[in-house]
Amino acid sequence: MAAAPRPNGTPARPSRRTVLRRSAAVAGGAAAAAALSACAGPGSGVDADGRVRIEVWHGQTDTGRAAIESLTAEFNRTHPRIRVDLGGGVLSDAMLQKITAALASGSFPDIAYIFGSDLASVARSPSVVDLTDTFHSGPVPWKDFWAPAREAVTLNGQVRAAPALIDSLAVVCNKKLFRDAGLPLPRPGWSWDDFTTTAAELTDRARGVFGTGWPGVGDEDTVWRLWPMIWDLGGDVTSRDGRRVGFEDTGLRTLQTVEALVKARSVYIDAKSGSEQMYRVFLSGRMGMAVTGPWQLPDIRQAKVDYHVVPLPSYSGRPITISGPDTWTVFDNGEARVEAARTFVTWLSQPAHDVRWDIEAGSLPLSRGTQALPQWQKQEDDTPGLRVFTKSLESARVRPVHPAYPQISQSLGQAITAVLLGRSSPAEALRDCVDEANAALLIPR
């Protein structure tokens, strides 16, 4: 998709959170074609001099593109027997559709940047390489990766992709608006009741000021903000046996929290995909609190917003958040190319290289080894609030790598939107959501 303009008129980094993700809503239907192809792509990829060529569809633009290009150039210099070519011609938001078509035709890259929420669908193809042995015995100890990074690439006990990017959600506050309203800044351990009350007190409709915002499209960006609330109450995406959703009871209270924001008229509802409008309201100084991730901090600092970062509120008082990791998924184009692809993705995950990707592309360290590096410590020292996002990884959970997740997400997204727009009560919206999602879980996969 086209990048949205930044406040200064230059194009923004790929809307990573258009993010979380519109493609999830179509993944289920697209996966069927992906599962059909067991063929390897054409050609051995080995040059006459024995050098192995592999193709990577990276899906990045702007800062992310520059970062992966720089890292790839270094890899090619230091690995003369392997040549990595970057291509794909599509941004990450559209990667699922392109890789699905490529798998169906039998002509696909060696590596593609796949959203974590799409991995279960893509991994149904027998052309996806099992990386379990690669990462369990790789240069970075498997348990050194943050738990969300490990969980996002693990399906049925197998590592089906390499961790590529990790993030977390927290609340960024506009300190000036808090001062104007005479309110203290939130502290760790605050509650969702505190959040809704604070949002109402920050709201000044005469000045066009909103307490907070919420995406109102019904896509994954709408949905993933609700999962930490459901998990905190003891719910889950699916039941233990996988036959029903796991939020039939807990979902009601979370939707009632959303309804409280609506009734107080304290929430800006972004009706456009990507949440760019919502973030523009925050960057213009007309929103008190934004639930967002570390990718937004560069734009917030560029807009000269005086800000404060605090962990997500909870119902229980225990810290919890969500992470939306992405992956480098490897495809089987023959033994030589698979081995070269394994080498490249494990090289990217090593702290010395990961830290460059994190700093230049605007994400968090994949592993504790990266977190401990002086370069990352300096990045946290130089970026107010960044350390809150990193620490949040200790309590972060991820959406399950489940083939029915796109249908569950779509149903929940419709429920949240119905409440945001006043079309349904929380109870009615949840009932419709549960009925649809449970029906999707009964489909054999």
Side-chain angles (χ1 to χ4, degrees), residues 74-154:
E74 179 179 335
F75 178 87
N76 286 336
R77 285 195 303 271
T78 56
H79 295 74
R81 306 302 294 176
I82 301 174
R83 169 73 187 190
V84 177
D85 293 325
L86 300 177
V90 65
L91 296 187
S92 50
D93 286 25
M95 187 66 74
L96 176 63
Q97 292 86 340
K98 179 156 186 176
I99 203 67
T100 298
L103 287 167
S105 70
S107 180
F108 40 83
D110 300 281
I111 303 169
Y113 187 90
I114 302 293
F115 289 146
S117 55
D118 293 334
L119 180 61
S121 299
V122 175
R124 294 172 65 190
S125 168
S127 295
V128 173
V129 175
D130 183 349
L131 297 179
T132 305
D133 291 341
T134 303
F135 275 91
H136 282 191
S137 59
V140 179
W142 178 243
K143 291 189 176 179
D144 200 38
F145 289 105
W146 291 104
R150 299 196 306 267
E151 293 165 10
V153 297
T154 302

Side-chain angles (χ1 to χ4, degrees), residues 52 197 267 384:
V52 181
T197 299
V267 58

Side-chain angles (χ1 to χ4, degrees), residues 145-152 166-170 224 227-228 231-232 311-312 318-325 364-365 368 388-399:
F145 289 105
W146 291 104
R150 299 196 306 267
E151 293 165 10
I166 195 169
D167 54 22
S168 64
L169 279 183
W224 82 311
W227 290 127
W231 292 330
D232 185 39
L312 286 184
R318 299 184 301 269
I320 189 168
T321 188
I322 186 170
S323 179
L364 300 177
R368 295 179 186 273
V388 175
F389 289 103
T390 309
K391 184 172 177 54
S392 293
L393 291 173
E394 298 172 1
S395 63
R397 293 182 58 177
V398 297
R399 296 155 292 181

Side-chain angles (χ1 to χ4, degrees), residues 49 123-124 140 152 157 180 192 221 248 262 266 274 318 406:
D49 61 1
R124 294 172 65 190
V140 179
D180 290 347
W192 281 108
D221 205 9
E248 192 165 354
V262 174
S266 60
R318 299 184 301 269

Side-chain angles (χ1 to χ4, degrees), residues 24-92:
V26 300
L36 296 176
S37 175
C39 305
S44 68
V46 182
D47 293 345
D49 61 1
R51 183 170 63 169
V52 181
R53 288 179 175 267
I54 59 173
E55 184 178 12
V56 177
W57 292 359
H58 59 81
Q60 308 298 308
T61 188
D62 256 14
T63 54
R65 182 187 182 99
I68 194 61
E69 287 177 345
S70 174
L71 285 164
T72 300
E74 179 179 335
F75 178 87
N76 286 336
R77 285 195 303 271
T78 56
H79 295 74
R81 306 302 294 176
I82 301 174
R83 169 73 187 190
V84 177
D85 293 325
L86 300 177
V90 65
L91 296 187
S92 50

Side-chain angles (χ1 to χ4, degrees), residues 50-395:
R51 183 170 63 169
V52 181
R53 288 179 175 267
I54 59 173
E55 184 178 12
V56 177
W57 292 359
H58 59 81
Q60 308 298 308
T61 188
D62 256 14
T63 54
R65 182 187 182 99
I68 194 61
E69 287 177 345
S70 174
L71 285 164
T72 300
E74 179 179 335
F75 178 87
N76 286 336
R77 285 195 303 271
T78 56
H79 295 74
R81 306 302 294 176
I82 301 174
R83 169 73 187 190
V84 177
D85 293 325
L86 300 177
V90 65
L91 296 187
S92 50
D93 286 25
M95 187 66 74
L96 176 63
Q97 292 86 340
K98 179 156 186 176
I99 203 67
T100 298
L103 287 167
S105 70
S107 180
F108 40 83
D110 300 281
I111 303 169
Y113 187 90
I114 302 293
F115 289 146
S117 55
D118 293 334
L119 180 61
S121 299
V122 175
R124 294 172 65 190
S125 168
S127 295
V128 173
V129 175
D130 183 349
L131 297 179
T132 305
D133 291 341
T134 303
F135 275 91
H136 282 191
S137 59
V140 179
W142 178 243
K143 291 189 176 179
D144 200 38
F145 289 105
W146 291 104
R150 299 196 306 267
E151 293 165 10
V153 297
T154 302
L155 180 62
N156 298 325
Q158 296 178 317
V159 180
R160 303 313 311 275
L165 179 146
I166 195 169
D167 54 22
S168 64
L169 279 183
V171 180
V172 181
C173 305
N174 182 313
K175 292 168 72 172
K176 179 180 183 300
L177 293 181
F178 272 78
R179 288 194 298 270
D180 290 347
L183 297 173
L185 291 169
R187 296 175 177 272
W190 61 322
S191 70
W192 281 108
D193 284 344
D194 294 332
F195 182 89
T196 56
T197 299
T198 302
E201 292 175 336
L202 286 166
T203 299
D204 185 342
R205 299 193 68 84
R207 296 170 52 210
V209 173
F210 295 86
T212 190
W214 201 297
V217 181
D219 59 8
E220 189 65 13
D221 205 9
T222 303
V223 171
W224 82 311
R225 299 158 189 271
L226 205 74
W227 290 127
M229 303 163 72
I230 288 172
W231 292 330
D232 185 39
L233 291 168
D236 210 337
V237 178
T238 65
S239 61
R240 287 177 180 253
D241 61 12
R243 296 180 180 178
R244 299 183 60 82
V245 297
F247 54 90
E248 192 165 354
D249 297 324
T250 54
L252 180 59
R253 187 172 178 188
T254 64
L255 290 177
Q256 287 172 338
T257 299
V258 175
E259 184 185 47
L261 295 169
V262 174
K263 287 184 173 180
R265 302 179 70 194
S266 60
V267 58
Y268 176 88
I269 302 167
D270 193 339
K272 293 186 177 181
S273 296
S275 305
E276 284 91 351
Q277 298 285 2
M278 183 181 77
Y279 289 131
R280 285 195 186 104
V281 173
F282 183 85
L283 294 174
S284 68
R286 295 187 295 112
M287 182 182 295
M289 301 181 293
V291 177
T292 188
W295 64 85
Q296 202 65 37
L297 292 183
D299 288 342
I300 292 172
R301 298 182 71 193
Q302 184 179 21
K304 301 188 183 306
V305 175
D306 187 13
Y307 70 94
H308 167 75
V309 182
V310 64
L312 286 184
S314 71
Y315 298 103
S316 66
R318 299 184 301 269
I320 189 168
T321 188
I322 186 170
S323 179
D326 294 332
T327 78
W328 296 114
T329 302
V330 176
F331 301 91
D332 188 354
N333 279 307
E335 184 177 351
R337 290 169 67 174
V338 167
E339 186 59 30
R342 292 180 195 269
T343 300
F344 183 57
V345 296
T346 54
W347 183 89
L348 285 175
S349 71
Q350 294 174 37
H353 312 128
D354 177 44
V355 74
R356 287 177 52 192
W357 168 255
D358 301 332
I359 292 172
E360 294 173 23
S363 59
L364 300 177
L366 288 174
S367 68
R368 295 179 186 273
T370 303
Q371 180 195 23
L373 290 179
Q375 299 99 304
W376 181 256
Q377 294 298 311
K378 183 178 186 302
Q379 180 73 359
E380 289 190 334
D381 289 342
D382 293 345
T383 310
L386 182 58
R387 189 168 279 111
V388 175
F389 289 103
T390 309
K391 184 172 177 54
S392 293
L393 291 173
E394 298 172 1
S395 63

